[in-house]
Amino acid sequence: MTAASDIPARLDRLPWSRWHWRVVAALGVAWILDGLEVTLAGSLGSVLERPDTLALDAVQVGWAGSLYIGGAVAGALLFGRLTDKLGRKRLFMVTLAVYMLATLATAFSTGFASLALCRFVTGLGIGGEYAAINSAIDELVPARVRGRVNLIINASFWIGAALGAGLSLLILDERALGPADGWRACFLLGAVLAAAIVLVRRHVPESPRWLLMHGKRAQAEQVVAGIEAQVAAEHGALPAIATVRHAHRAGGGMPGLGAIAHVLLRRYRTRSMMVVLMMVAQAFVYNAIFFTYGLVLTRFYQVPDNRVALYIFPFALGNVLGPLLLGHLFDSLGRRRMIAATYLLSGIGLAATAWAFDAGLLNALTLALCWSAVFFVASAAASSAYLTASEVFPLQMRALAIAIFYAVGTGTGGFIAPALFGRLIAGGDRHAVAGGYALGAALAIAAGLCALKFAVDAERKGLEEVAEL
């Protein structure tokens, strides 16, 4: 017979502290790396078409983006299951190492085949990061601020985006390395950043909730006691432990695949449907627009290759500010209202931008400003998809649930979108590209309507209260 534990309640009652900031910085940097990768791909897309680089065509650039996403899908599924089985900490170290080595190898690509392989393996590492990191962060962050913290961490993707844009702008300048060698240096610097992060992550503990689930109660108690000591040293006496209404039970281990299927397809069927639609919508919108943004600028607005990165900055700014300014509302106004509102407003804004683009009313600058406004809201919506996937399913299968929904959503929306838009842009038909944007708008609106009906009111609730196996 397993014994109930107050460990989850002890973690949730902790005041925010320097210890929490260190965990968020060490783990949340995964999104900075992903933003760096995606931006480099978008900024360097037209550069890699040059005869003095890899001489790719627009379709190959689109496929390189899709293969990165395909690797992320495979990595999420592979490492997601292992994260539930072997532990959060072990896997977020492994996935970061995979990312680092693959990014390093990308810098030495000699043609489309080697670039495609390296991008796929890089995606493996990033996909694994999503599963390991989202589960670990939610299990370590107090329930009362889980929504805003999760959204802000996901928004850090755009810090990486701005960093990638700045790197490409500086390094691709003819007065520096120039396009022929600069694109390789961009990827090398990404690998160096990952190596530094490995050193920081060594000090993040294993999730006490995961330890408890696997019957390692003494170790879980030791980890929590250490965390409490650090927080108490900063804040003094800790608040009393709240009444435990949903005590987590030590032991139990991982459920089998049959039990997981029952939870996802029967017990929490409506939650699964909602999360799939949210993931598909955000993946299609983001990957369709961002992976091929550089191609749109160069083909339709004649922006020079080495100036593409300038237009990333307003785009990135809107994406960072959205979750920063709106994140607290997910904990106060609630998940249902905010998820629905952000998806619906994103879809409406995207539809309006598609119409203006099709009508020829936009130039390169005004298109960038439109995207900045649309993604101010869309960034919060996309972040809420990852928040929802990570908190509305049971602890015993949390990482795998994140992986499954990330894989389904990203595999459907993210893998198809860059290749599709690469082909549309290569055809030079403005109406076709606008039609692709309109499709993304329809998906976002559908996700918003679904969330309005089925979203879970998880705000300020412990994870054990939101979902049980």
Side-chain angles (χ1 to χ4, degrees):
M1 176 124 180
T2 56
S5 171
D6 64 355
I7 280 178
R10 289 164 64 187
L11 290 170
D12 283 339
R13 58 82 189 251
L14 293 176
W16 192 260
S17 66
R18 286 190 294 269
W19 181 85
H20 291 100
W21 279 119
R22 287 196 297 270
V23 169
V24 166
L27 299 183
V29 76
W31 284 262
I32 295 178
L33 293 177
D34 193 18
L36 178 68
E37 282 294 318
V38 172
T39 309
L40 286 178
S43 299
L44 298 175
S46 55
V47 171
L48 297 180
E49 293 181 302
R50 293 167 55 115
D52 59 347
T53 58
L54 297 183
L56 306 183
D57 57 36
V59 175
Q60 289 176 320
V61 171
W63 270 109
S66 287
L67 287 168
Y68 171 79
I69 295 300
V73 168
L77 292 172
L78 171 64
F79 294 120
R81 182 65 171 170
L82 291 175
T83 297
D84 282 332
K85 182 178 182 180
L86 302 178
R88 312 321 192 199
K89 178 167 185 173
R90 186 175 300 177
L91 266 297
F92 65 59
M93 296 298 289
V94 169
T95 53
L96 182 60
V98 171
Y99 163 85
M100 178 181 65
L101 294 174
T103 301
L104 179 64
T106 304
F108 299 96
S109 300
T110 56
F112 175 68
S114 57
L115 176 72
L117 176 62
C118 290
R119 297 303 294 160
F120 179 81
V121 179
T122 303
L124 284 175
I126 287 294
E129 285 273 286
Y130 275 111
I133 301 306
N134 267 308
S135 53
I137 287 175
D138 275 4
E139 291 164 18
L140 293 170
V141 169
R144 66 185 179 280
V145 295
R146 189 172 63 242
R148 73 191 72 180
V149 170
N150 198 297
L151 261 70
I152 290 170
I153 287 173
N154 277 280
S156 67
F157 174 100
W158 296 100
I159 297 174
L163 179 61
L167 281 175
S168 62
L169 190 65
L170 175 65
I171 294 174
L172 296 178
D173 193 296
E174 295 288 358
R175 291 168 295 182
L177 292 177
D181 296 313
W183 72 272
R184 298 184 187 275
C186 288
F187 286 110
L188 283 173
L189 288 174
V192 170
L193 175 62
I197 296 163
V198 169
L199 301 177
V200 176
R201 279 197 184 171
R202 292 182 305 166
H203 303 293
V204 176
E206 180 57 85
S207 163
R209 283 176 158 107
W210 181 88
L211 291 169
L212 196 63
M213 180 185 75
H214 285 267
K216 301 180 181 181
R217 182 165 187 152
Q219 190 175 345
E221 291 280 357
Q222 183 179 13
V223 170
V224 172
I227 295 170
E228 289 173 330
Q230 293 183 59
V231 176
E234 178 182 350
H235 290 284
L238 298 177
I241 301 172
T243 301
V244 181
R245 291 180 294 172
H246 293 263
H248 191 86
R249 304 189 73 82
M254 290 178 60
L257 294 179
I260 291 172
H262 175 80
V263 169
L264 295 180
L265 301 179
R266 299 199 59 179
R267 181 169 185 179
Y268 292 126
R269 181 171 56 248
T270 55
R271 296 185 183 189
S272 297
M273 177 187 68
M274 178 190 67
V275 174
V276 164
L277 187 52
M278 290 171 65
M279 283 289 194
V280 169
Q282 67 85 24
F284 186 92
V285 170
Y286 266 94
N287 291 291
I289 293 171
F290 199 58
F291 266 112
T292 55
Y293 188 30
L295 295 178
V296 169
L297 291 172
T298 55
R299 292 296 170 87
F300 294 102
Y301 298 108
Q302 291 72 54
V303 174
D305 295 342
N306 61 354
R307 309 302 289 174
V308 165
L310 283 174
Y311 296 89
I312 302 294
F313 290 111
F315 191 102
L317 181 62
N319 277 280
V320 170
L321 290 179
L324 281 175
L325 298 179
L326 301 177
H328 69 98
L329 298 176
F330 285 78
D331 289 320
S332 56
L333 293 182
R335 305 288 200 260
R336 185 187 306 272
R337 292 177 181 176
M338 289 305 299
I339 293 172
T342 51
Y343 267 95
L344 290 171
L345 289 173
S346 299
I348 293 168
L350 181 53
T353 303
W355 173 82
F357 175 81
D358 187 43
L361 300 177
L362 303 175
N363 57 31
L365 177 58
T366 53
L367 177 64
L369 294 177
C370 283
W371 287 148
S372 182
V374 169
F375 284 93
F376 174 86
V377 182
S379 180
S383 296
S384 73
Y386 291 100
L387 168 64
T388 303
S390 67
E391 71 179 357
V392 301
F393 298 103
L395 170 72
Q396 293 90 333
M397 51 178 285
R398 176 160 294 125
L400 182 60
I402 295 168
I404 289 172
F405 291 108
Y406 173 82
V408 172
T410 304
T412 303
F415 183 79
I416 293 172
L420 171 63
F421 271 73
R423 187 167 294 278
L424 294 177
I425 293 166
D429 186 346
R430 181 184 292 268
H431 303 301
V433 175
Y437 292 153
L439 175 59
L443 287 170
I445 291 171
L449 293 174
C450 183
L452 191 60
K453 183 173 179 60
F454 296 117
V456 179
D457 298 316
E459 59 273 8
R460 301 183 300 279
K461 295 179 181 177
L463 292 172
E464 292 73 23
E465 185 178 354
V466 175
E468 295 178 341
L469 190 62

